Amino acid sequence: MIWQKDVETAGRAKIEEIQLERLKWVTRHCYNNIEFYHKRFDENNINPDKIKTLSDIQYIPYTTKADIRDTYPFGMFGAKMKDIVRLHASSGTTGKPTVVGYTRKDLDLWSNLVARIACAAGATDEDISQISFGYGLFTGALGLHYGLELIGSTILPCSSGNTEKQVMLMKDFGTTLLVSTPSYALYMAEVARDLGYTKQDFKLRLGLFGSEGCSDEMRTQIEEAWGLFATDNYGMSELIGPGVSGECRYREGMHIAEDHFLPEIIDSNTGDVLEAGATGELVITTLTKEGFPVLRYRTKDITNLNYEPCACGRTMARMSKIIGRSDDMLKIRGVNVFPTQIESVLVSFPQIGAHYQLIVRREGFMDTLEVKVELIDAKLLESYAELEKLQKSIKAKLHSVLGIDAKLSLVEPKSLERFAGKAKRIVDLRNQPNT
């Protein structure tokens, strides 16, 4: 078990002492080894010696995904290529990928951080862990692989896809721990039911889910489908991959490894740092990475931080579930809408499934939203009265939560696309003619 009690239960003063020492180191490391940061510091008339307190981080400009893409492929690396032993990249939706590199020390750190959050969630060396993230340039699979392996867990590296075989192996091998996206966990449960299995046929007890948002209601569905205890964890390739934060057994927020990451919450529009407890965009500074350090990286993820000690004994800041991403937020008739808000409404209705699609169109000068969601029982399509009653109920609840009217389309079971990786919920047709 990876339980670094002296650090994970340290007082706030000790945590900040560690952070300041490491902030000074990483600032100088970036200035001396990365041309991008050296130039940016000089342009803003600052140097590493200006960092004397944690609040002095305010003098450092933010780093964005665009900065990483503009220096593609290796311009943000803080180590020579001979010392880089692993490359990963996130594909994104447009343009060049964001490429990240790891030194041997970085990989050891990464494994330890993933092991830390896995143990906090309840993973042990007796688990058989099935990793159903896609292996490759994506950081999720290998990150969880090496972290769980460090604990001593038996690893079943299934990757994503070939779902029927995965279900078979899950049963035959006695998988106890599942790593996947939340949406894929639900799809696997759907396939298992179609194959005639019940949850009693499996030994699953713990799920480590990430890579996409998961509402409390969706998590309940996963737990009921598999009979496991589901936890969230958080990370991204630009920061290290999974391992930045994760839930403990109390599930009162994801514990951030503050000895390795310095979090801030800012207003996405103004860039102003917000007071403790406020909701806004998460900004992270990596404090100990050598190969690919980032200073004040804008994640675009919307959350808030809780600095109160957790009932589990850990004292490091906890981040709430990601509400959404600032770039995924939909603005419909002046109202900000996050997909997770819609999901929380949909999964509260037992007649409909967990798979949905959001279609955004422009009609005249106004944006419109259509919500497509599957029925669980196709027979409901044959009863107009029941279908109309259900539609009215869902639309009323959506209006109550979102504050706007949305078109609702109830479609046949299994008619929407399934995703083995991160689910693509939003279809934006605003720039397409005749839609």
Side-chain angles (χ1 to χ4, degrees):
M1 180 175 180
I2 305 298
W3 170 229
Q4 298 167 322
K5 186 175 181 180
D6 58 331
V7 175
E8 294 186 67
T9 63
R12 178 52 44 185
K14 180 62 177 179
I15 293 171
E16 292 183 354
E17 179 186 331
I18 293 171
Q19 289 179 322
L20 179 57
E21 178 186 351
R22 293 178 173 180
L23 177 61
K24 290 178 178 178
W25 173 83
V26 74
T27 303
R28 187 164 297 281
H29 177 68
C30 288
Y31 184 76
N32 291 338
N33 295 284
I34 303 174
E35 182 181 352
F36 169 85
Y37 282 119
H38 192 103
K39 182 179 179 182
R40 179 160 287 188
F41 274 41
D42 288 350
E43 288 174 347
N44 288 273
N45 297 314
I46 58 175
N47 63 67
D49 293 332
K50 194 165 186 176
I51 307 301
K52 293 181 169 57
T53 67
L54 284 179
S55 63
D56 290 336
I57 197 172
Q58 66 182 300
Y59 301 118
I60 301 175
Y62 296 117
T63 305
T64 66
K65 186 181 285 284
D67 294 327
I68 300 172
R69 288 193 172 134
D70 289 345
T71 55
Y72 173 90
F74 308 136
M76 296 289 279
F77 283 17
K80 296 179 180 178
M81 283 306 297
K82 71 180 184 66
D83 296 319
I84 298 292
V85 297
R86 175 89 64 79
L87 295 175
H88 279 281
S90 59
S91 59
T93 54
T94 59
K96 299 283 189 179
T98 54
V99 183
V100 298
Y102 300 78
T103 64
R104 174 59 57 193
K105 184 178 178 182
D106 290 336
L107 288 183
D108 290 341
L109 167 65
W110 191 13
S111 296
N112 271 278
L113 289 174
V114 173
R116 186 192 286 188
I117 65 167
C119 287
T124 74
D125 58 2
E126 296 184 359
D127 278 306
I128 298 176
S129 300
Q130 184 162 330
I131 298 179
S132 297
F133 277 145
Y135 278 74
L137 291 176
F138 170 58
T139 55
L142 286 171
L144 270 299
H145 180 128
Y146 285 107
L148 287 164
E149 198 168 70
L150 182 62
I151 294 171
S153 170
T154 302
I155 305 300
L156 182 55
C158 282
S159 194
S160 57
N162 203 353
T163 307
E164 288 192 8
K165 184 177 181 180
Q166 289 218 43
V167 170
M168 178 191 76
L169 295 179
M170 184 185 292
K171 177 182 181 296
D172 293 347
F173 291 5
T175 298
T176 60
L177 189 156
L178 176 63
V179 173
S180 74
T181 62
S183 57
Y184 192 50
L186 280 174
Y187 177 52
M188 293 174 80
E190 182 178 270
V191 171
R193 287 194 299 270
D194 290 346
L195 292 173
Y197 295 121
T198 68
K199 63 184 176 184
Q200 285 74 29
D201 293 314
F202 302 90
K203 296 182 179 179
L204 283 175
R205 67 173 196 89
L206 179 62
L208 299 179
F209 302 115
S211 187
E212 66 184 22
C214 179
S215 65
D216 288 336
E217 294 84 358
M218 186 177 186
R219 176 157 70 183
T220 298
Q221 283 198 352
I222 295 171
E223 291 184 327
E224 291 176 350
W226 284 117
L228 53 70
F229 182 81
T231 64
D232 287 343
N233 61 81
Y234 175 83
M236 58 176 55
S237 58
E238 298 93 322
L239 304 179
I240 200 168
V244 175
S245 66
E247 288 183 311
C248 68
R249 301 295 291 185
Y250 285 89
R251 297 195 303 198
E252 293 291 336
M254 292 178 279
H255 295 271
I256 300 174
E258 282 194 277
D259 48 333
H260 297 282
F261 305 99
L262 180 59
E264 301 173 85
I265 297 292
I266 69 168
D267 183 306
S268 291
N269 296 317
T270 66
D272 294 338
V273 177
L274 301 179
E275 61 186 16
T279 296
E281 180 183 346
L282 178 67
V283 171
I284 294 281
T285 295
T286 62
L287 298 175
T288 51
K289 285 178 64 187
E290 297 177 330
F292 191 87
V294 287
L295 304 177
R296 305 192 84 193
Y297 184 72
R298 293 189 60 164
T299 68
K300 294 192 176 182
D301 289 322
I302 308 300
T303 184
N304 56 63
L305 302 178
N306 181 354
Y307 286 91
E308 292 298 317
C310 180
C312 72
R314 292 173 178 84
T315 53
M316 293 186 177
R318 288 168 283 152
M319 55 185 282
S320 66
K321 279 180 178 291
I322 301 299
I323 299 170
R325 289 179 56 79
S326 59
D327 53 356
D328 275 351
M329 182 181 73
L330 303 172
K331 196 155 191 139
I332 308 296
R333 294 191 290 280
V335 177
N336 295 336
V337 176
F338 288 104
T340 50
Q341 293 176 293
I342 297 171
E343 179 184 292
S344 68
V345 171
L346 297 179
V347 298
S348 68
F349 287 87
Q351 303 97 321
I352 58 178
H355 300 282
Y356 64 94
Q357 194 176 68
L358 310 178
I359 302 173
V360 186
R361 297 181 175 89
R362 179 158 292 144
E363 298 178 3
F365 298 101
M366 301 291 287
D367 289 343
T368 63
L369 173 65
E370 178 184 3
V371 180
K372 279 188 176 182
V373 62
E374 292 179 351
L375 292 165
I376 289 179
D377 187 352
K379 291 181 180 178
L380 192 58
L381 292 169
E382 301 171 6
S383 173
Y384 179 78
E386 287 186 38
L387 194 65
E388 185 178 39
K389 182 179 178 182
L390 177 60
Q391 274 190 314
K392 285 182 177 179
S393 296
I394 298 172
K395 287 189 70 172
K397 193 165 183 180
L398 283 171
H399 185 274
S400 174
V401 171
L402 304 180
I404 60 168
D405 288 317
K407 179 181 178 182
L408 178 68
S409 299
L410 299 178
V411 300
E412 292 184 358
K414 302 179 185 178
S415 60
L416 297 179
E417 185 177 0
R418 272 32 175 184
F419 298 94
K422 188 180 296 188
K424 299 177 180 65
R425 305 291 195 192
I426 301 172
V427 179
D428 193 340
L429 301 178
R430 283 174 291 188
N431 294 321
Q432 297 186 24
N434 302 319
T435 58

